[in-house]
Amino acid sequence: MKRVAGLLAFAFALLTPALASAQDSNATLIQNATILTITHGNIEHGSVLIQDGKIAAVGTDLKAPAGATVIDASGQFVMPGIIDCHSHIAVEGSVNEGGPAVSSMANIADVLNPEDISIYRDLAGGVTVANILHGSANPIGGQTVVIKLRWGKSPSELPFQGALPGIKFALGENPKRSNFQPPPGIPPRYPATRLGVEEVIRQAFTEAREYKKQWDDYNQRKAAGEQNLMPPRRNETLVPLVEVLEGKRYVHSHCYRADEILMLMRVAKEFGFKVRTFQHVLEGYKVADEIAASGAGGSTFSDWWAYKAEAYDAIPYNAALMSERGVIVSINSDDAEEASHLNQEAAKAIKYGGLSSNDALKLVTLNPAIQLGIDSRVGSIDVGKDADLVIYNHDPLSVYAVVQKTFIDGQVYFDRQRDIAQRPELAKEKQALIDKEKKAGEEQKKAAEEQKKAAEGTGKKPDKKPEQKKKPPTEIESHGAVAGGAL
Amino acid sequence: MRFSTRLKFVILFISIFCISPAHAQNAPGVYAIKGAKVFPVSGAPIENGTVIIRGGKIVTVGANVEVPADAQVIDAAGLEVYPGLFDPFTQMGLNEIGQVSATVDIVELGDFNPELVAATAVNPASAHIPVTRASGITHVISAPGIGGFDQSSGGFITGQASAFNLAGWTMDEMQIRRSVAMVINWPSIRTRSFDFATFSFKTKPYDEAKKEYDNKINELSDWLDRARHYAQVKEKGSPSLFERDLKLEALIPVVEGKLPVLVVAGEARDIRNAVEFCAKQNLKMILADGSQAFKVKDLLKEKKIPVILGPTERTPDEEDMPYDQQLTQPEDLHAAGISIALSSFGTAFSRRLSQYAGTAVAYGLPYDEALKAVTINAAEMFGIADQIGSIQPGKIANLIVTNGDPLEIRTEIRYLFINGQLTSTGNRHRDLYEQYHKRSQAGH
Amino acid sequence: MKIRLKREYIVLAAAMVCAVGVLSWVRAARGEGGEPRYFAITHARIVPVSGPVLEDGTVVLAKGLIQSVGTNVSIPPEAWVIDGKGLTVYPGLIGAGTDLGLPKPPASAGGGRPAIATTPTGEPILGPEGRPGTSPWRVAADEIKIDDKRIQEWRNAGFTTALTTPDGGIFPGQGTIIDLGGDRAGDFIVKPAATLQVAFTPIGGLFGFPDSLMGTIAYVRQVFDDTSWYGQAEPVYEANVTKFERISYDRTERAIAKAQSRNEIVLLPANTSIQILRALKLTGEWKVPAVIYGGQQAYAVASAIAAQKMQVLVNLKWPEVAKDADPEAEQTLRDLRFRDRAPSTPAALAKAGVKFAFYSDGLTGPKDIFKSLKRATDAGLAPEAALRAITLDAANILGVDDRMGSIQPGRIANLVVTDGDIFNEKTKVKQVFVDGRWYPIHEEPKPSDKPGDTKPESAGTSATAVHGEVGR
């Protein structure tokens, strides 16, 4: 008996590891593709193993653990998920709190909307991470947040855990409102010149310094046990600015003209903080060395120009020229549709300025990751990083490349074949709901008509056939339409 | 000064003029582009081909062509030759800086402006022209009234669109045809509109919106009837009793079916209404924008309406539309037998035309069809295909010589021919790049 | 004794006597003077909500309160006995969110929001210190007008109680719980300051503050910060007036601080699932005793609501396509699903164990409320749960279930007596008791009358229930 038990135990012990790995259903192996690692070259006929949401292995001869999903990506290309450093998707309501000159109390994180269809469409363009920014209506705008495009999850699951929060500044024409006339009755708002834009920022940080001093002083004295202290007010406008001073919040500043780029660097120096990224920075090429020296990143367009006076000197060589001078450069979208082909936009830096293919790809992967301080987690295909990946059917720098699958944390969030396969089903569901509503509307209409007839006591029998749409004119119908469903 | 030195000086002076962007065109020359792979579009590609240009026109195209003695020879070994790309819906020359109204001449006041012609106000010195041709677009149509990226649209009959080359000192030199179509901005039935006075959205009942729409259409119909009557009076009536009306005069070719109407409409209902209206009124219709053309493709096919699609890369109109609705639409319409052309609908983004075409190929449009959609198709729609759109003898020599597939993003234009002239690809952007490149290099 | 009276004087005197008689009779029937204070409804079906149904029960009302309920209760001799055979007695219905008794604010000229919000002195509000759309000191109780015709309409449909709230702005004011009957406005008030209303409406008008949802939320956050600061700073100042600069007077801070000291519930708006999740998060952050109102997409997030023990006031105006909408306008699958599933929200909340009540934002009257309720029960809400939501649970959420919402001894005598199941559209309301005041409802006119006509009141009745249509 003991022997049998022992044998059984032995057999069970043998089985258990096999059972355990059979449970390894959160492993995926993408094999046989060209892997664009970004950091250590391209791997032909390569594979990537994903486990528990991370990149577990990258190489040429990887074996799939038992139970893993295997994706044969022969002839296809795998690159890191695209990171869009300037996005306004997934926001409920206006992206601008445009009234005050300083609207830092507003916070994008309060109004994230994971049901925005733009999230899905950008996933279909290979975007996995986006820097969701406040608009450019104010010299100092609202607080910003980095998200992963986890379509279908709850709002609290969107933010990129561990990414520092940001705040949006805006310089130039937009915050000084020079390009539109508010309707009559709206008074003009300071600042109306670039001179005033600078002063708004300096004034705000002067107040922030004071505020910080007040609170530090209060906290110190309280900690020392002092009684009868008047607490300072908490000021939600100044709190994020103090965080900037303390290096806990990144400054992303929309800017165009070379002189205003230098202006902000000067102001930042005066108050002891650093600009994290210059956004748009369309004249960044004119002061590329200064930007490189300041350590700020430049996040720019591929080839937008001439839509505003300050964009008239914009050139598609901007990314390449700034990169050449040592600026960490990313190419961004500022637009949900543009974000769906950032791989194409990155390719333009090869033609305009001669970046290498890998450096071009960096503009939408590793570089924005560095700019957002998340490069230890994303931006390249390296073991240990998050499994944020995109599979293309062609070289992503080719105009012919189409995203096949987009992974975030190892999960497939976009699958082109699945999307196409689901279309008839969704259309059917939609038609069924439309028909249901229409029928309910017609029934309502009929019921109301019958009630009216009964109330009027005309004694006319209601039509027996409900499908018959053309009724002979009755007294009721000649009174006009009875309220009913519009469909 | 010695003669040869003076000659060199003159030659140098002239060559500077030749390559400097603002002065891109001089007297017509004779060129031979040799040893390239030539894609005529009108026929099969020619390996190791040669194209001879003379007097602004293509003279010969072929594999074993004799090079004239006076020709400037372009060694195009390893390169490819294509017809210059055609962007058939832009505001080129009418729009310099979108938000600076002094530089914008797209939208005139008033709903009925048939007598306005885009060519009147195209600025040949616009910085957009050299920028755009550097990406291979050699000729465009400019249309009044419809905004690009930054502009609002306005008006109903907004004016006449003009076709011209992207090189020349004056419009007379650039013009291909002064008036190629009458632009009609088809009204929509709008139940929801933005009211600037209160800065809020206002809704109105459908019936009211429909009535407003009907009134507008009736007004359009009245204009056309009056134009017909005017034509009759002009032709048959007594000269002493005839009062000239510039607007009605401009509509005569439209009602006679000689000048097509370029109807700008995106929503399916608007397209349907426009097609039915034009059929009833016997107008020759070309559809522009067509973002929901796929919903009415049977009608478009039946009535043989050609479609100039707006940018391939744009957001689907409706939330439930497949994410690639606009990307697959070119193939969708082409497969249904509808003639399509691609366009940028803008000015600053005109240089993305090849990108739009390439993306359409990525999502199903056959390559050759995409090439046609940016060269010959639009020329046929506007009746100028005898002049332009393919590499054939007798046509205007608008050509691009590339280092590869012109639809690929990385491809560069090595040589550019417009109106039979070798044209510089220099432009504002390259100038600024070179200028600031020097800044970096000096003293660092 | 022979009294010689002029003929005119006799007529006048007679008229006066008649008038006084009629008036006092009318007054009596309307509850002024001579009003009966004791009632007994016998042999009725009694639905207490707080306990099991009594098929053959008696309820005794005395001086505005329920004295006893049961199958064998003693009936005081003073009681006006109402034979309840064939009738059903429910607790008076409670509408948890109305504007009954409050006059409509004047429509803004030209429609749409004003171009920019301004301070009372006309300056544009560009920041939180301008307190845009903020009047939390407004208490509905101070503004009630009891001649609102809708009060009677609601009462006739069986509602005895309603939460009524001022409207307009981000902090419109505090809601009042009123009983729908009485002689003077003061009689109506059950709980004057019951709820603190919040609305996330960006009233700034695109150039003022706030003109975005996030700005509005940030503003509310700042107001709660300021109130909290005031609560700390004021006592410190008062104890040390020679040490500190004087605190500025801010009516908002004081009003909200007072409301918070009463632990007044804060009504936060949230209708879509995303908004509901956001409201849950903000409640945790702001540490306020919140109740969500709107809640129509709660079916998607019922377990999250339950996990945070949040309560919901569900808007009964189910989403639907506007009647004059463009017939070819895009219908999104999202909207279609929402319209289809919204009425299932109450059932989903009940299943998840979330306490909820109903309110009628924009519905024209109680008739529509019952229609909406029917859609909810058709979509899976048990009728008992529906009844509970418009009686005891509503009272509980509003903090007055110790006083009303069920038929138990000691509770306020708010009852509705019907001739059948209250959710059946053929059922008629026979009598309504509000604070023990009796409002009988008489027969509807015959169908031969034109719809919309009101039958002239027979003298002495205080209620008509004429709507020209069968049912409510």
Side-chain angles (χ1 to χ4, degrees):
Chain A
M1 204 41 172
K2 237 171 154 186
R3 209 142 164 253
V4 171
L7 275 170
L8 279 172
F10 182 61
F12 189 73
L14 279 177
L15 274 170
T16 313
L19 282 172
S21 40
Q23 307 305 312
D24 213 346
S25 54
N26 57 8
T28 306
L29 180 69
I30 307 169
Q31 62 184 19
N32 258 326
T34 304
I35 313 292
L36 309 171
T37 68
I38 307 296
T39 42
H40 56 281
N42 300 345
I43 304 173
E44 303 290 327
H45 306 295
S47 304
V48 181
L49 176 63
I50 300 169
Q51 242 162 354
D52 297 321
K54 299 282 191 193
I55 298 170
V58 188
T60 39
D61 273 310
L62 302 183
K63 294 280 183 291
T69 311
V70 177
I71 297 175
D72 179 20
S74 311
Q76 300 187 328
F77 290 70
V78 182
M79 71 174 256
I82 290 177
I83 298 173
D84 185 359
C85 205
H86 191 123
S87 175
H88 299 296
I89 63 174
V91 171
E92 182 173 347
S94 171
V95 301
N96 269 309
E97 178 46 60
V102 178
S103 61
S104 40
M105 65 157 45
N107 192 345
I108 290 281
D110 277 338
V111 289
L112 286 176
N113 176 13
E115 293 185 350
D116 180 5
I117 192 69
S118 297
I119 297 177
Y120 184 73
R121 291 174 179 163
D122 285 356
L123 279 167
V127 181
T128 52
V129 173
N131 188 20
I132 309 301
L133 297 177
H134 183 279
S136 54
N138 327 64
I140 294 182
Q143 302 165 51
T144 69
V145 65
V146 180
I147 66 167
K148 283 208 184 191
L149 276 66
R150 297 183 180 111
W151 171 250
K153 302 284 188 198
S154 68
S156 57
E157 292 170 281
L158 284 189
F160 192 118
Q161 302 306 6
L164 276 193
I167 184 168
K168 177 81 178 291
F169 288 10
L171 315 178
E173 291 175 27
N174 287 11
K176 73 180 178 123
R177 290 186 182 170
S178 56
N179 292 337
F180 52 89
Q181 294 285 5
I186 310 289
R189 178 199 73 180
Y190 182 97
T193 66
R194 287 184 168 83
L195 307 171
V197 169
E198 186 202 30
E199 278 317 295
V200 167
I201 300 173
R202 293 186 68 232
Q203 178 62 27
F205 276 96
T206 302
E207 287 175 28
R209 264 188 182 162
E210 272 310 307
Y211 178 81
K212 178 174 154 64
K213 216 167 23 158
Q214 264 187 344
W215 271 97
D216 287 346
D217 183 55
Y218 169 76
N219 285 330
Q220 223 173 37
R221 291 163 75 179
K222 187 150 165 248
E226 201 174 317
Q227 298 294 316
N228 290 328
L229 288 171
M230 177 64 76
R233 280 182 185 275
R234 182 177 167 88
N235 185 328
E236 300 288 351
T237 301
L238 296 177
V239 164
L241 300 183
V242 170
E243 288 168 349
V244 168
L245 292 173
E246 294 173 345
K248 297 180 186 148
R249 185 176 287 276
Y250 288 148
V251 171
H252 300 294
S253 183
H254 153 127
C255 57
Y256 281 76
R257 278 236 307 250
D259 54 290
E260 65 198 9
I261 296 167
L262 296 178
M263 176 278 282
L264 190 61
M265 287 197 267
R266 190 177 55 237
V267 169
K269 193 153 174 229
E270 180 190 345
F271 287 90
F273 68 90
K274 285 194 136 99
V275 175
R276 185 74 185 180
T277 66
F278 287 106
Q279 297 278 336
H280 309 324
V281 64
L282 296 190
E283 287 190 9
Y285 66 93
K286 297 183 180 179
V287 287
D289 291 322
E290 286 86 345
I291 298 175
S294 81
S299 190
T300 189
F301 292 130
S302 59
D303 63 358
W304 296 27
W305 76 292
Y307 47 99
K308 286 192 282 188
E310 59 193 1
Y312 199 51
D313 275 9
I315 58 176
Y317 304 84
N318 196 27
L321 193 32
M322 286 199 291
S323 293
E324 226 179 81
R325 306 310 304 161
V327 180
I328 303 286
V329 178
S330 62
I331 283 185
N332 66 44
S333 75
D334 196 9
D335 173 68
E337 192 286 320
E338 183 88 344
S340 66
H341 48 86
L342 282 174
N343 58 313
Q344 294 181 342
E345 304 315 308
K348 291 176 184 173
I350 300 173
K351 175 164 140 177
Y352 295 111
L355 284 191
S356 70
S357 294
N358 202 52
D359 283 346
L361 283 176
K362 271 194 193 159
L363 298 174
V364 294
T365 54
L366 188 58
N367 285 0
I370 293 170
Q371 290 174 343
L372 297 174
I374 52 179
D375 52 302
S376 63
R377 293 268 306 274
V378 290
S380 61
I381 304 186
D382 283 302
V383 172
K385 288 201 174 180
D386 296 355
D388 290 0
L389 305 165
V390 192
I391 303 179
Y392 286 88
N393 61 350
H394 290 293
D395 178 352
L397 295 171
S398 161
V399 76
Y400 302 117
V402 173
V403 173
Q404 304 300 304
K405 286 188 174 58
T406 306
F407 293 78
I408 297 179
D409 301 324
Q411 246 185 60
V412 176
Y413 274 83
F414 170 76
D415 181 330
R416 176 164 166 79
Q417 309 315 321
R418 191 175 61 197
D419 178 286
I420 292 172
Q422 274 177 352
R423 291 175 196 179
E425 196 182 303
L426 290 171
K428 220 168 89 181
E429 182 194 345
K430 187 168 179 177
Q431 193 56 49
L433 286 171
I434 291 175
D435 292 340
K436 188 173 171 192
E437 248 185 15
K438 196 163 177 193
K439 187 151 161 265
E442 284 168 4
E443 280 171 8
Q444 227 183 44
K445 204 168 168 178
K446 223 171 55 117
E449 282 177 13
E450 279 173 7
Q451 273 185 13
K452 216 170 172 194
K453 281 185 203 170
E456 291 187 357
T458 57
K460 266 206 148 88
K461 282 204 177 117
D463 266 340
K464 289 256 158 73
K465 303 189 196 93
E467 309 86 62
Q468 187 183 334
K469 297 231 187 326
K470 283 224 175 284
K471 293 190 215 170
T474 65
E475 219 177 279
I476 285 111
E477 280 172 318
S478 62
H479 284 171
V482 175
L487 293 178
Chain B
M1 197 190 282
R2 281 177 61 200
F3 179 74
S4 52
T5 315
R6 193 189 294 155
L7 183 60
K8 279 184 203 146
F9 186 79
V10 167
I11 292 170
L12 184 64
F13 189 66
I14 292 174
S15 10
I16 289 172
F17 263 67
C18 280
I19 60 177
S20 157
H23 314 285
Q25 297 260 294
N26 286 312
V30 186
Y31 302 92
I33 308 168
K34 270 192 68 170
K37 186 165 180 187
V38 179
F39 293 81
V41 171
S42 51
I46 304 167
E47 294 286 349
N48 202 16
T50 298
V51 182
I52 308 292
I53 299 167
R54 181 188 295 277
K57 299 274 202 284
I58 300 166
V59 177
T60 329
V61 191
N64 286 314
V65 174
E66 202 181 305
V67 174
D70 57 342
Q72 184 180 327
V73 176
I74 312 277
D75 178 9
L79 303 179
E80 299 175 15
V81 185
Y82 295 84
L85 306 185
F86 180 19
D87 190 348
F89 199 111
T90 72
Q91 301 85 35
M92 191 69 61
L94 298 177
N95 176 16
E96 199 62 23
I97 302 177
Q99 287 184 24
V100 179
S101 59
T103 70
V104 178
D105 290 302
I106 305 174
V107 181
E108 185 50 86
L109 299 172
D111 277 343
F112 292 91
N113 289 310
E115 78 283 22
L116 304 184
V117 182
T120 313
V122 166
N123 180 4
S126 167
H128 289 276
I129 291 177
V131 163
T132 305
R133 70 186 181 218
S135 287
I137 292 107
T138 52
H139 49 288
V140 300
I141 289 177
S142 229
I146 314 303
F149 164 56
D150 275 302
Q151 298 303 305
S152 58
S153 305
F156 195 169
I157 301 182
T158 60
Q160 298 166 50
S162 310
F164 53 94
N165 289 318
L166 291 188
W169 296 95
T170 64
M171 186 42 111
D172 285 339
E173 293 180 7
M174 296 157 72
Q175 200 167 280
I176 295 174
R177 185 179 294 175
R178 183 170 166 79
S179 174
V180 290
M182 184 67 70
V183 182
I184 297 186
N185 193 4
W186 204 262
S188 291
I189 301 173
R190 282 265 163 271
T191 50
R192 196 171 135 93
S193 57
F194 194 73
D195 176 29
F196 276 93
T198 56
F199 247 84
S200 59
F201 277 103
K202 292 223 172 297
T203 48
K204 60 168 80 111
Y206 170 73
D207 294 327
E208 191 185 317
K210 173 89 174 38
K211 207 178 285 178
E212 280 176 23
Y213 168 82
D214 288 338
N215 288 341
K216 285 208 186 94
I217 301 304
N218 290 336
E219 205 181 342
L220 176 62
S221 179
D222 289 343
W223 273 91
L224 296 174
D225 285 339
R226 281 188 285 137
R228 290 187 187 98
H229 176 255
Y230 180 84
Q232 180 195 317
V233 171
K234 186 168 185 232
E235 194 192 321
K236 301 187 181 141
S238 149
S240 58
L241 296 178
F242 174 73
E243 248 179 64
R244 194 164 180 219
D245 184 314
L246 297 178
K247 289 188 195 271
L248 294 180
E249 201 163 289
L251 285 172
I252 294 179
V254 173
V255 297
E256 288 178 346
K258 294 187 186 138
L259 187 68
V261 289
L262 186 55
V263 174
V264 184
E267 290 177 32
R269 175 171 58 195
D270 296 345
I271 298 173
R272 245 191 349 252
N273 289 340
V275 171
E276 281 161 16
F277 180 90
C278 289
K280 207 155 59 164
Q281 297 272 350
N282 274 318
L283 306 177
K284 189 155 160 277
M285 175 176 154
I286 303 170
L287 177 65
D289 183 329
S291 62
Q292 293 185 15
F294 69 95
K295 286 190 180 178
V296 289
K297 52 186 179 189
D298 294 335
L299 179 64
L300 293 170
K301 166 80 191 241
E302 185 207 339
K303 297 280 197 260
K304 297 195 181 38
I305 310 285
V307 181
I308 298 177
L309 287 170
T312 312
E313 290 180 318
R314 54 182 166 172
T315 320
D317 283 4
E318 296 172 0
E319 184 177 305
D320 292 338
M321 283 184 182
Y323 78 94
D324 58 359
Q325 184 70 66
Q326 296 300 319
L327 306 170
T328 56
Q329 183 163 226
E331 163 55 6
D332 195 7
L333 297 181
H334 164 255
I338 296 167
S339 171
I340 58 160
L342 303 179
S343 73
S344 70
F345 255 65
T347 309
F349 280 139
S350 182
R351 64 175 161 191
R352 287 193 174 189
L353 187 63
S354 52
Q355 184 181 351
Y356 296 148
T359 305
V361 173
Y363 283 85
L365 185 65
Y367 182 89
D368 288 339
E369 292 306 320
L371 202 52
K372 284 201 207 147
V374 292
T375 52
I376 190 71
N377 286 359
E380 280 169 356
M381 290 177 197
F382 291 100
I384 52 176
D386 55 335
Q387 295 183 60
I388 210 149
S390 55
I391 309 183
Q392 289 177 281
K395 291 202 175 179
I396 299 174
N398 282 8
L399 303 168
I400 52 176
V401 183
T402 67
N403 68 345
D405 177 359
L407 303 189
E408 262 294 11
I409 293 169
R410 280 179 271 190
T411 300
E412 292 166 25
I413 310 291
R414 290 291 163 79
Y415 301 96
L416 178 64
F417 287 87
I418 300 182
N419 219 7
Q421 281 298 303
L422 180 59
T423 306
S424 165
T425 55
N427 59 78
R428 177 185 180 77
H429 295 174
R430 205 160 80 190
D431 291 346
L432 283 167
Y433 169 60
E434 282 162 5
Q435 184 185 343
Y436 281 90
H437 208 223
K438 287 201 198 87
R439 182 193 184 218
S440 329
Q441 286 166 348
H444 290 284
Chain C
M1 196 159 59
K2 228 172 158 192
I3 300 167
R4 274 201 56 160
L5 292 163
K6 266 198 160 146
R7 200 194 180 115
E8 298 87 342
Y9 288 140
I10 294 171
V11 169
L12 181 60
M16 282 176 66
V17 166
C18 289
V20 167
V22 166
L23 275 173
S24 58
W25 197 78
V26 164
R27 278 179 66 212
R30 284 178 58 200
E32 288 179 4
E35 183 189 345
R37 303 289 274 146
Y38 300 87
F39 293 89
I41 308 167
T42 58
H43 298 297
R45 179 168 185 268
I46 305 199
V47 183
V49 178
S50 53
V53 173
L54 303 174
E55 288 302 334
D56 180 8
T58 296
V59 57
V60 176
L61 316 180
K63 291 214 212 157
L65 298 184
I66 296 169
Q67 183 173 285
S68 51
V69 191
T71 39
N72 251 323
V73 299
S74 62
I75 298 170
E78 304 85 355
W80 181 316
V81 177
I82 296 167
D83 178 12
K85 223 184 323 253
L87 301 180
T88 310
V89 184
Y90 296 94
L93 307 181
I94 302 176
T98 69
D99 58 355
L100 290 177
L102 295 175
K104 283 247 169 295
S108 47
R113 289 189 239 122
I116 192 168
T118 49
T119 63
T121 48
E123 270 114 48
I125 294 177
L126 289 182
E129 56 291 330
R131 297 287 186 239
T134 301
S135 52
W137 52 83
R138 266 182 87 192
V139 176
D142 297 335
E143 302 176 17
I144 298 274
K145 293 259 182 302
I146 62 174
D147 58 359
D148 186 341
K149 285 203 171 39
R150 296 174 299 163
I151 292 178
Q152 187 173 300
E153 193 191 324
W154 280 62
R155 189 178 57 223
N156 289 348
F159 284 86
T160 58
T161 311
L163 172 70
T164 190
T165 317
D167 191 31
I170 302 168
F171 285 97
Q174 300 176 53
T176 297
I177 301 174
I178 56 171
D179 273 356
L180 302 182
D183 300 329
R184 296 161 22 254
D187 292 343
F188 282 60
I189 313 300
V190 174
K191 193 171 177 193
T195 59
L196 181 68
Q197 189 83 4
V198 173
F200 291 144
T201 318
I203 64 160
L206 213 75
F207 291 99
F209 177 82
D211 64 5
S212 65
L213 176 61
M214 60 178 159
T216 311
I217 292 173
Y219 171 62
V220 173
R221 177 182 288 123
Q222 182 66 60
V223 166
F224 284 133
D225 284 345
D226 290 344
T227 304
S228 156
W229 172 84
Y230 167 76
Q232 291 180 297
E234 208 241 7
V236 170
Y237 173 73
E238 289 300 328
N240 299 277
V241 293
T242 53
K243 200 168 162 207
F244 298 111
E245 204 177 334
R246 208 160 45 80
I247 295 179
S248 178
Y249 175 84
D250 185 311
R251 198 172 179 191
T252 298
E253 289 167 3
R254 284 164 198 254
I256 297 181
K258 207 152 56 161
Q260 285 180 340
S261 67
R262 286 193 289 260
N263 212 31
E264 204 166 299
I265 61 176
V266 176
L267 296 185
L268 289 183
N271 210 35
T272 66
S273 55
I274 304 302
Q275 292 167 348
I276 293 171
L277 292 174
R278 180 181 305 135
L280 292 174
K281 180 158 170 255
L282 292 174
T283 303
E285 185 200 319
W286 295 340
K287 299 195 181 21
V288 290
V291 169
I292 285 173
Y293 69 96
Q296 291 182 328
Q297 210 173 25
Y299 60 81
V301 287
S303 46
I305 301 174
Q308 209 165 310
K309 296 196 182 30
M310 179 67 73
Q311 299 169 334
V312 182
L313 304 181
V314 178
N315 183 351
L316 280 176
K317 183 158 194 277
W318 303 122
E320 58 179 17
V321 185
K323 301 275 188 286
D324 55 10
D326 185 340
E328 282 185 68
E330 173 193 1
Q331 300 291 337
T332 63
L333 185 52
R334 180 196 306 279
D335 287 344
L336 285 162
R337 281 177 179 159
F338 180 38
R339 292 200 292 266
D340 183 50
R341 289 182 207 175
S344 73
T345 273
L349 290 175
K351 189 153 169 233
V354 175
K355 193 162 284 188
F356 61 93
F358 292 113
Y359 74 103
S360 62
D361 170 41
L363 287 180
T364 49
K367 185 162 44 84
D368 293 323
I369 291 181
F370 282 98
K371 265 208 202 119
S372 288
L373 280 174
K374 179 161 195 308
R375 287 190 68 189
T377 48
D378 285 347
L381 181 66
E384 306 82 57
L387 178 64
R388 215 189 155 84
I390 50 173
T391 53
L392 187 53
D393 281 354
N396 172 276
I397 293 173
L398 296 176
V400 290
D401 58 330
D402 55 346
R403 277 162 272 187
M404 56 171 64
S406 54
I407 306 181
Q408 298 182 62
R411 298 294 193 267
I412 292 173
N414 286 352
L415 303 171
V416 51
V417 183
T418 64
D419 66 358
D421 180 336
I422 199 162
F423 291 126
N424 188 320
E425 56 191 22
K426 297 220 166 41
T427 296
K428 298 202 192 77
V429 174
K430 292 295 193 186
Q431 5 239 345
V432 178
F433 288 88
V434 180
D435 285 296
R437 290 187 176 87
W438 181 44
Y439 296 94
I441 294 161
H442 294 255
E443 275 294 313
E444 287 173 4
K446 293 205 241 323
S448 57
D449 284 3
K450 283 217 290 291
D453 261 0
T454 55
K455 199 171 158 104
E457 282 191 30
S458 47
T461 61
S462 57
T464 56
V466 182
H467 302 286
E469 295 176 36
V470 174
R472 286 174 182 81

